[in-house]
Amino acid sequence: MIRILKQIFRTGIVTEPLLPEVDAEIQEVGAELKKAIGKRFSRSLTIRQVDAGSCNGCELEIHAINNPIYNCERFGIHFTASPRFADMLLVTGPVTRNMEIALRRTYNATPHPKLVVAVGDCGCNGGIFGESYASLGGIDKVIPVDVVIPGCPPTPAAILNGILRAVGNR
Amino acid sequence: MSVLLDAIKSSLGSDAGCDECRYTASMLFCSVPRERFVDAAKAMRKVHALLVAEWAADETPFNRGFGIYACYRWGAEYLIVKTEAPFEDPAFPTLTKQFLPAYRFERQIKSLMGVTAAGHPDSRPWIKFEDWPEDAWPLRKSFDASKPMPRVAGEYKFLSAEGEGVYEIPVGPVHAGIIEPGHFRFQAVGEDILNLEERLGYVHKGIEKKFESLSWKDGSRLAGRVSGDTTAAHSLGYCMALESMTGCKVPERAQWLRALFLERERIANHLGDLGAICNDAAFAFMLYQMSRLREIMLRTNHELFGHRFMMDRIIPGGIAVDIEADGKELILSELKQIAKEFNRLVKIYDQNSSLEDRVRDTGILIPDKARRLCQVGIVARASGLNLDCRTQNPFPPYDRIKVNVPVLISGDVHARAWVRVEEVRESIRIIREILNTLPSGAISSDVGLPSPDTYGFSAVEGWRGEIVYWLQSGPKGEVNRCMVRDPSSVNWLGLEQAVLGNIVPDFPLCNKSFNQSYSGNDL
């Protein structure tokens, strides 16, 4: 136990005050986001992440926004296991034919009003996988999308920024 | 002569032909008549070879039927045994009785290529879902991959168990956490798991078919997206297979830097896994500490190579980005910090009894089962199998680096975690060695194009384990077939076995310690 506490004290707080890559943008959006989430989502935005066919690259970066450095929880953002509790769907990948029905069902299980954010080049337009017998292309081919976050995969900063955009938009 | 080829020849005699060898380099190859395909497998089993992969290729552009290939491995040797099936009679005898992993490979061959493994115990499709038209065989040349398929009615029959108190738990495809989609069906009594059946294929994106519509050079980008967390190893596998077809000589410096990418990918993923395993045992402290270290590595990658995962940095003929002297310094000082903190954290892991209680004796895959299931990578090494392409089939520069491979025999969650711990330390050492010996010179050379009807093969040790690529060029020198075998294709079978007799709440822990790729399996 002593060791654990020691390591915790030694590490200190590593959460970065603001993200350097999108600093200017986040300066503005960050404050607004907190306000928007505070007002519209009772200070807590709950996200259900859905992999609709990604290569798992985007998942790694979505994991990263949870790490102590990006620490998305400070903005009032957290992830849920059930779409029924979610305000937002964070969807990755080109939608595969085999995931289409599951994605539709997840969308239908999410209560209104809901936000959908498509993550990554594949989520935007199918990316390198494009449209084929197995891949339907971008997320908007299956469910309505509010905001897209391009990148292969987008950096954690870009993902955070995209979430902020989606919340600020409406 | 080689052990495998000798074994085949002494058992099959003149039936085993290897005159039409179209492999460059030292690839072992032989073709056998269809009715002796199983005898070849028996001969392989007799010399304790492992089945690496089994796949089919549509060879109608060459006016042949279907080629069915089985790749075996014994130590450093890889041997591909080929048999042919005419177009009108697309069938071959099953190898499932000889080698268990053939169970899924053959279901996949049937589902995607429409070639039947006669005598296979399970006729259900794999990867192909019940709502596909039955005659949709995407890997056949006649299949139009650009059009969406209609949906038809159909039902997938899971294995079922009956009896007093037996109940079923369906999980997925949308899981609780931030992970890829798949479906698990448990049969349980109380908390004990009687049976687990995996159903994968949800992320089938038609990757193998997609390769056929791309140029040889663009293929490496697609290979880098077979499984995003293994992007360096997969693009390396593809590039090496292509280079073996064209006789391309990769510059020394590029080879060493490729190894650098590979080892950095290994460390970053192992750090993430170790944190996640502890988190599933309710020890969140470790998740945050490990993900912090992982983030440090990814940021260095981004700064030096322009991408956090180093996607598209390994290209046919070499690499796309060089490293300067100050980059070298940066990596060394980063590793120093990571090594120090990592050792401190490992001590905490090792001496935490509540963690020990969860990870020890949980999800055991005994060595004998691991062998029969032909497991690879971390899973194999945690179950007593000393398998690692970096030492047994060393591709440059590993022929000049000594790699210490950790092997544990307990086969439980702890063993799989501990193999990762040892590998992180070893990879840090290897990276230091790479930076110290890095030769100067060019970082890429011309690849050229393969000539018609040639084959390329490569086996690369990714962080999950052995990745295999097999390429075949068509009559005009284009891509005719690209077979990808991610370690997950075999290791998923190991998970099904490892959870038996464990309690349902320990499944996440077992699953995390395997951490197999869905995308790499579904293709």
Side-chain angles (χ1 to χ4, degrees):
Chain A
M1 197 64 211
I2 294 286
R3 272 223 184 85
I4 297 177
L5 290 173
K6 249 191 180 162
Q7 174 69 18
I8 290 174
F9 284 126
R10 210 184 277 125
T11 310
I13 294 172
V14 291
T15 305
E16 291 181 344
L18 281 168
L19 313 160
E21 298 94 317
V22 280
D23 199 27
E25 225 172 327
I26 280 202
Q27 289 277 11
E28 271 171 54
V29 191
E32 250 177 60
L33 167 86
K34 243 191 148 168
K35 226 166 66 195
I37 290 185
K39 205 170 85 201
R40 299 192 35 225
F41 296 100
S42 302
R43 279 170 292 172
S44 138
L45 175 75
T46 306
I47 300 178
R48 169 68 247 194
Q49 191 267 337
V50 184
D51 178 346
S54 86
C55 72
N56 79 27
C58 291
E59 272 64 40
L60 294 178
E61 295 296 50
I62 293 173
H63 266 293
I65 73 170
N66 256 320
N67 76 23
I69 294 165
Y70 295 99
N71 185 14
C72 66
E73 292 214 1
R74 68 185 145 149
F75 299 123
I77 299 170
H78 63 264
F79 289 85
T80 176
S82 166
R84 299 201 188 278
F85 303 139
D87 305 306
M88 176 188 282
L89 293 180
L90 199 60
V91 194
T92 60
V95 184
T96 61
R97 177 194 156 91
N98 290 350
M99 265 307 280
E100 184 192 353
I101 294 169
L103 177 62
R104 272 188 215 282
R105 283 188 185 165
T106 310
Y107 180 79
N108 292 337
T110 313
H112 274 291
K114 52 197 156 193
L115 294 167
V116 176
V117 177
V119 180
D121 288 348
C122 297
C124 295
N125 55 24
I128 191 168
F129 304 106
E131 289 174 33
S132 70
Y133 75 98
S135 157
L136 276 63
I139 307 296
D140 60 353
K141 290 267 155 59
V142 180
I143 56 174
V145 171
D146 296 288
V147 165
V148 294
I149 307 174
C152 188
T155 59
I159 295 176
L160 267 180
N161 198 32
I163 295 174
L164 309 189
R165 256 190 3 254
V167 175
N169 260 355
R170 291 215 289 202
Chain B
M1 278 297 269
S2 88
V3 173
L4 293 180
L5 214 47
D6 284 349
I8 288 256
K9 289 215 164 133
S10 66
S11 145
L12 272 72
S14 59
D15 275 347
C18 34
D19 41 272
E20 53 138 2
C21 185
R22 291 192 184 84
Y23 291 91
T24 45
S26 55
M27 193 58 215
L28 299 173
F29 172 88
C30 80
S31 61
V32 299
R34 193 153 54 142
E35 62 277 10
R36 307 223 59 187
F37 198 45
V38 176
D39 295 333
K42 280 181 184 157
M44 290 295 95
R45 205 179 150 177
K46 221 189 242 162
V47 291
H48 307 291
L50 300 171
L51 179 71
V52 174
E54 198 182 354
W55 67 95
D58 184 346
E59 296 179 350
T60 45
F62 306 105
N63 300 320
R64 303 196 290 258
F66 295 101
I68 294 102
Y69 298 81
C71 178
Y72 302 95
R73 175 188 185 177
W74 186 86
E77 286 178 15
Y78 287 86
L79 167 71
I80 293 178
V81 176
K82 180 195 177 181
T83 190
E84 281 188 35
F87 192 80
E88 312 74 50
D89 176 27
F92 64 100
T94 175
L95 304 185
T96 310
K97 279 196 193 113
Q98 274 64 46
F99 291 97
L100 287 175
Y103 171 69
R104 272 193 190 156
F105 289 132
E106 287 173 354
R107 278 173 74 186
Q108 192 161 345
I109 291 173
K110 164 79 196 179
S111 304
L112 302 183
M113 188 65 92
V115 182
T116 313
H120 193 284
D122 190 345
S123 60
R124 295 173 304 163
W126 180 247
I127 305 298
K128 182 179 195 164
F129 275 18
E130 66 284 349
D131 61 0
W132 292 30
E134 210 178 321
D135 60 347
W137 293 304
L139 289 178
R140 284 197 181 180
K141 286 289 157 193
S142 52
F143 183 85
D144 180 7
S146 61
K147 277 200 305 236
M149 284 182 300
R151 282 190 198 277
V152 301
E155 198 192 347
Y156 190 82
K157 284 203 172 56
F158 284 94
L159 298 180
S160 62
E162 279 170 33
E164 201 180 316
V166 179
Y167 67 107
E168 214 174 54
I169 312 172
V171 181
V174 179
H175 297 294
I178 306 172
I179 57 166
E180 297 174 76
H183 185 91
F184 300 108
R185 190 64 69 97
F186 298 94
Q187 271 87 37
V189 174
E191 287 202 306
D192 297 330
I193 301 172
L194 285 182
N195 183 42
L196 160 64
E197 188 179 355
E198 294 156 356
R199 190 202 181 191
L200 302 172
Y202 287 93
V203 274
H204 174 72
K205 297 182 275 285
I207 291 179
E208 285 186 319
K209 186 70 176 180
K210 183 86 190 172
F211 272 113
E212 295 169 20
S213 66
L214 295 177
S215 72
W216 289 103
K217 279 204 174 126
D218 289 343
S220 78
R221 288 193 64 234
L222 184 58
R225 283 158 184 80
V226 164
S227 180
D229 51 14
T230 324
T231 176
H234 265 287
S235 40
L236 178 59
Y238 175 85
C239 291
M240 278 175 47
L242 177 57
E243 286 149 10
S244 80
M245 287 171 94
T246 58
C248 164
K249 242 184 115 40
V250 178
E252 283 258 310
R253 186 176 176 82
Q255 290 176 346
W256 285 82
L257 285 173
R258 282 173 166 192
L260 175 83
F261 296 166
L262 214 54
E263 298 301 331
R264 288 189 66 83
E265 184 171 89
R266 182 182 310 274
I267 299 177
N269 281 303
H270 283 354
L271 289 175
D273 277 1
L274 283 167
I277 292 171
C278 293
N279 190 48
D280 275 348
F283 195 56
F285 162 81
M286 201 61 93
L287 173 69
Y288 293 120
Q289 295 286 343
M290 288 291 180
S291 56
R292 184 173 59 88
L293 297 188
R294 179 181 151 87
E295 180 69 22
I296 294 173
M297 294 217 52
L298 298 186
R299 287 185 172 197
T300 317
N301 287 348
H302 190 76
E303 194 181 333
L304 293 179
F305 313 117
H307 195 286
R308 283 162 60 92
F309 302 144
M310 300 167 294
M311 247 174 204
D312 306 328
R313 296 307 179 261
I314 296 179
I315 52 171
I319 50 170
V321 57
D322 204 355
I323 183 173
E324 308 291 331
D326 49 343
K328 205 170 127 179
E329 287 311 309
L330 180 65
I331 293 182
L332 286 174
S333 70
E334 172 224 53
L335 286 184
K336 199 172 153 193
Q337 185 200 348
I338 287 182
K340 194 170 134 200
E341 299 209 26
F342 182 71
N343 285 336
R344 214 148 52 202
L345 292 170
V346 168
K347 219 175 246 170
I348 294 174
Y349 168 91
D350 206 25
Q351 295 179 358
N352 192 308
S353 50
S354 63
L355 204 53
E356 194 177 353
D357 190 43
R358 293 292 305 279
V359 295
R360 290 221 189 233
D361 295 335
T362 306
I364 298 175
L365 184 68
I366 57 166
D368 181 47
K369 255 189 196 166
R371 220 201 125 71
R372 278 190 295 139
L373 291 169
C374 303
Q375 301 291 290
V376 295
I378 1 177
V379 175
R381 296 197 278 277
S383 292
L385 305 184
N386 187 357
L387 293 175
D388 192 319
C389 299
R390 291 176 300 169
T391 56
Q392 284 165 346
N393 185 43
F395 46 96
Y398 288 103
D399 46 357
R400 276 156 290 171
I401 303 174
K402 187 181 176 319
V403 182
N404 298 307
V405 181
V407 177
L408 275 75
I409 54 161
S410 57
D412 52 3
V413 172
H414 169 73
R416 285 184 286 276
W418 201 256
V419 166
R420 287 177 167 96
V421 168
E422 297 282 348
E423 286 190 8
V424 168
R425 290 176 172 154
E426 181 65 6
S427 290
I428 291 177
R429 190 193 62 74
I430 293 173
I431 293 181
R432 286 186 178 135
E433 195 178 326
I434 289 173
L435 290 175
N436 281 333
T437 35
L438 196 60
S440 57
I443 55 163
S444 69
S445 59
D446 276 343
V447 204
L449 290 173
S451 39
D453 203 8
T454 49
Y455 303 105
F457 178 88
S458 75
V460 166
E461 190 74 16
W463 67 272
R464 267 195 193 95
E466 170 199 59
I467 292 167
V468 176
Y469 271 78
W470 181 85
L471 304 174
Q472 180 188 36
S473 61
K476 293 188 206 77
E478 79 282 19
V479 188
N480 188 59
R481 178 91 165 86
C482 172
M483 191 284 298
V484 184
R485 210 247 27 216
D486 189 78
S488 314
S489 311
V490 279
N491 285 1
W492 272 117
L493 284 164
L495 175 64
E496 274 184 343
Q497 295 300 314
V499 297
L500 297 183
N502 283 264
I503 56 173
V504 178
D506 273 344
F507 173 70
L509 203 54
C510 300
N511 189 22
K512 196 51 92 183
S513 71
F514 273 79
N515 193 14
Q516 294 305 306
S517 169
Y518 297 72
S519 184
N521 177 78
D522 297 353
L523 292 171

